[in-house]
Amino acid sequence: MAAPPDLASRLTHDGPPPSTTAVATAPDRLDPEVAKYATAAHTPIGPAENARLKRMVDKRVLSVMVFTYFLQALDKGSMSFASLEIRNDLDLNHDQRYPWLTTCIYLAVLVVEYPTNYALTKLPIAKYLGISIILWGTVLALHASARSFAVLLTLRTLLGTFEAVCQPAFLLLSSMWYKRSEQASAVTYWYMMNGMQQIVGGLLAYSFALTPRTAPLRSWQAMFITYGGFSVLWGVFVLAWLPDSPMRARCFSEADKAALLARVRGNRTGVQNRVWKKEQALEALRDPQTWAYGLIQLCTTLPTSGLGAFANIIISSLHFTTLQTQLLAMVLGAVIIGVLLSATALARKTNQTLLVMAAYVTPSIAGTVVLMSVRNTGLGTKAGLLVAYYAVLSFWAAQTLGMSMVGRNVGGVTKRSVAVAMNFVWWAVGNAIGPQVFLDRDKPRYFIAFATHMGCYALLLLDIAFLRWYLNRENERKDAAQGLPPGTGARRSEKEELEDEDEDGSAFEDLTDRENPRFRYVC
């Protein structure tokens, strides 16, 4: 079909004279909504126009992902901030009751992950996300009514069920709206809200902790009601503000919709396809890279969830007061943000994502060794142990960069949906197990937990080494099949992404990364 009337002039108003490229697509492979805007003749987008389109996406999509993830992290993290008080109020100090309040969330995610990812390929993403936010906000507010462990456990399980849509929806949105070179940054921006919630959550928890004992609500009850109520309001806003896709974005002009699709043409990973393709699902299950991404999540979330759920308990075990513990947890958030931003910047600068991931695991190993071997005998060791605990969190870089690689390296809408589901199944398994290795009989130093973490770091490094070898081998295999010198295809892929080229018209045909001979993996 022809481009919208003003598209050609607007796409290149800041660049060289247009040189259109004929696109020979296979109509039966195109989603009807995508086909409406996938132009028969592709006109490259100039730098200034590209920057304008990205600002539009940042404002309309990235801002929602960032704040939504912040709320989700704040909602889940509220249990950690409330832990010092709620454990006594609801008798959670025995029978491993407290760890189960985190584990049950991820067991729920484990059960609903595949149905959720299937639904995301069939339903409008923004509407599904907005309704889920309203539901989890309602459940969180109801936490304040809990008077027993059983009721609280039920509510936490429901919370996990409704929050399960968040990360997979964001990975799909990132791959739909952003270029491959931009996706690692996009994922980092919303994922680093785990750190921001530590900072803001610490301030709020400190404020709530000042609630008088004579107040009608305990501080943790006021916290849950406040967070839950705000989440409900935010869910309503998301329903009205976030577009489901570039094709359905009524907030953008027809020309901009076509331009937004043209901008991500070089991704070659597909944008949208409502048809579930069994062959792509089977390919995802047979592809070693999808299992390797899942193992990265297992090896990083197992330590993350335990350290997150027990953050305040671990810090307070170093003989800090309750209020000092709440404030020191804020520093932990700043460390997480610094780790994620620096790792993403380094990966972008060096174009060596997996090597950067491996490098950021090293401080975690060193910090864990210190926590396991140094006793808290005075002010000096107290400060050193606290710094070591902060250093342990550097492995989060591997978790975030590994997550972004799923959207960047897995082509085909069905295959990517299955790969994302596999990724978050492992993510849920790690998060479910993490709190359980912190045993009451092993406190305050938790040797068993930290020894388990060391095993995770070792396995993570092996997995990263395998993934780098495998992806490089696949790129070389594709080069050889096309009669190209090793590395030529990867350089061409980078050039195509920058210049929005699509010589064979396969960008929107919903080909998998294996089916598309021009696709090259980022490693």
Side-chain angles (χ1 to χ4, degrees):
M1 61 174 283
D6 61 340
L7 176 59
S9 62
R10 291 186 52 209
L11 294 188
T12 57
H13 74 276
D14 60 310
S19 58
T20 59
T21 303
V23 179
T25 59
D28 60 322
R29 299 190 67 101
L30 286 178
D31 179 87
E33 291 184 357
V34 174
K36 180 180 177 181
Y37 296 98
T39 58
H42 168 56
T43 307
I45 298 174
E49 177 69 2
N50 180 70
R52 183 187 72 87
L53 293 169
K54 184 176 182 297
R55 286 194 299 270
M56 290 167 49
V57 175
D58 288 345
K59 178 181 177 181
R60 205 83 196 191
V61 180
L62 184 60
S63 61
V64 170
M65 292 195 295
V66 168
F67 195 73
T68 301
Y69 201 85
F70 167 74
L71 278 183
Q72 188 206 36
L74 189 66
D75 292 350
K76 281 209 290 274
S78 59
M79 184 56 68
S80 177
F81 286 118
S83 61
L84 301 179
E85 191 176 68
I86 198 172
R87 280 160 63 102
N88 294 323
D89 289 355
L90 297 187
D91 192 23
L92 305 177
N93 287 309
H94 60 279
D95 299 331
Q96 286 292 102
R97 286 186 171 186
Y98 177 73
W100 275 106
L101 296 178
T102 297
T103 295
C104 68
I105 289 180
Y106 299 104
L107 290 178
V109 173
L110 187 61
V111 171
V112 303
E113 193 61 47
Y114 274 101
T116 293
N117 277 270
Y118 179 78
L120 285 170
T121 66
K122 298 291 185 180
L123 301 175
I125 294 179
K127 306 302 182 292
Y128 191 8
L129 178 63
I131 292 172
S132 297
I133 295 171
I134 293 172
L135 291 173
W136 93 48
T138 302
V139 169
L140 188 69
L142 289 173
H143 279 45
S145 66
R147 294 294 182 271
S148 68
F149 169 70
V151 171
L152 194 56
L153 186 70
T154 301
L155 291 170
R156 299 293 286 175
T157 302
L158 288 173
L159 185 68
T161 300
F162 296 130
E163 286 186 345
V165 67
C166 201
Q167 289 96 325
F170 289 177
L171 283 185
L172 293 177
L173 287 170
S174 297
S175 64
M176 180 185 294
W177 291 92
Y178 286 98
K179 293 184 176 185
R180 284 212 296 173
S181 59
E182 299 165 347
Q183 287 174 28
S185 296
V187 172
T188 296
Y189 290 145
W190 55 260
Y191 205 74
M192 75 180 187
M193 291 300 103
N194 285 297
M196 185 60 69
Q197 75 88 14
Q198 285 283 346
I199 298 174
V200 178
L203 282 172
L204 292 174
Y206 181 85
S207 301
F208 283 115
L210 300 177
T211 302
R213 298 285 295 186
T214 56
L217 293 175
R218 300 284 285 144
S219 64
W220 58 269
Q221 292 176 311
M223 182 188 300
F224 285 133
I225 291 173
T226 302
Y227 292 174
F230 192 85
S231 295
V232 170
L233 294 176
W234 178 252
V236 174
F237 174 79
V238 170
L239 286 173
W241 180 259
L242 180 65
D244 293 305
S245 69
M247 298 75 68
R248 291 191 177 189
R250 290 182 294 178
C251 53
F252 300 142
S253 68
E254 292 298 296
D256 281 341
K257 292 178 186 179
L260 287 166
L261 271 188
R263 206 177 81 86
V264 298
R265 182 182 293 272
N267 288 0
R268 297 183 175 277
T269 54
V271 175
Q272 173 182 287
N273 198 296
R274 302 288 185 195
V275 178
W276 182 265
K277 299 178 179 178
K278 181 180 178 181
E279 66 277 11
Q280 287 196 13
L282 292 175
E283 182 178 316
L285 294 173
R286 292 193 294 261
D287 193 339
Q289 70 162 326
T290 59
W291 294 95
Y293 297 138
L295 189 56
I296 289 172
Q297 294 306 309
L298 175 66
C299 292
T300 53
T301 55
L302 195 155
T304 297
S305 63
L307 292 171
F310 283 80
N312 286 21
I313 295 171
I314 294 171
I315 293 174
S316 66
S317 71
L318 299 178
H319 310 307
F320 292 102
T321 67
T322 300
L323 293 182
Q324 287 173 335
T325 298
Q326 302 283 22
L327 295 175
L328 287 171
M330 294 165 55
V331 180
L332 182 63
V335 170
I336 292 171
I337 292 174
V339 164
L340 299 185
L341 287 177
S342 62
T344 302
L346 187 59
R348 183 171 59 247
K349 182 177 181 179
T350 62
N351 201 29
Q352 297 291 340
T353 302
L354 289 167
L355 290 181
V356 171
M357 289 164 61
Y360 273 70
V361 177
T362 306
S364 299
I365 296 174
T368 303
V369 169
V370 171
L371 291 174
M372 294 180 69
S373 59
V374 176
R375 289 183 174 275
N376 186 9
T377 57
L379 183 60
T381 53
K382 182 177 181 178
L385 288 168
L386 185 62
V387 171
Y389 178 67
Y390 291 152
V392 166
L393 272 296
S394 65
F395 71 88
W396 275 43
Q399 184 177 105
T400 307
L401 292 173
M403 194 177 295
S404 74
M405 291 183 73
V406 178
R408 300 161 73 193
N409 279 345
V410 181
V413 174
T414 300
K415 181 180 180 181
R416 185 166 61 248
S417 177
V418 174
V420 169
M422 293 172 65
N423 197 68
F424 284 106
V425 163
W426 286 107
W427 177 88
V429 169
N431 275 298
I433 296 173
Q436 298 299 321
V437 300
F438 283 83
L439 305 174
D440 286 340
R441 68 173 184 272
D442 199 32
K443 62 184 182 183
R445 301 188 66 186
Y446 296 109
F447 283 110
I448 294 174
F450 288 121
T452 304
H453 294 180
M454 288 290 282
C456 288
Y457 304 145
L459 183 58
L460 175 60
L461 289 174
L462 291 174
D463 186 42
I464 290 172
F466 164 78
L467 187 57
R468 180 175 169 79
W469 167 81
Y470 175 77
L471 295 179
N472 277 321
R473 191 197 70 173
E474 289 299 291
N475 282 341
E476 292 174 0
R477 182 183 62 80
K478 289 193 172 193
D479 285 342
Q482 292 185 288
L484 300 173
T488 303
R491 290 192 295 272
R492 183 187 64 191
S493 181
E494 292 173 11
K495 177 178 179 291
E496 287 177 347
E497 182 185 346
L498 290 173
E499 300 183 6
D500 307 292
E501 292 182 0
D502 183 30
E503 296 176 5
D504 60 356
S506 61
F508 298 128
E509 289 184 7
D510 196 31
L511 298 173
T512 69
D513 49 280
R514 285 186 172 182
E515 291 173 334
N516 192 334
R518 298 177 69 87
F519 185 92
R520 294 299 185 272
Y521 298 99
V522 175
C523 58

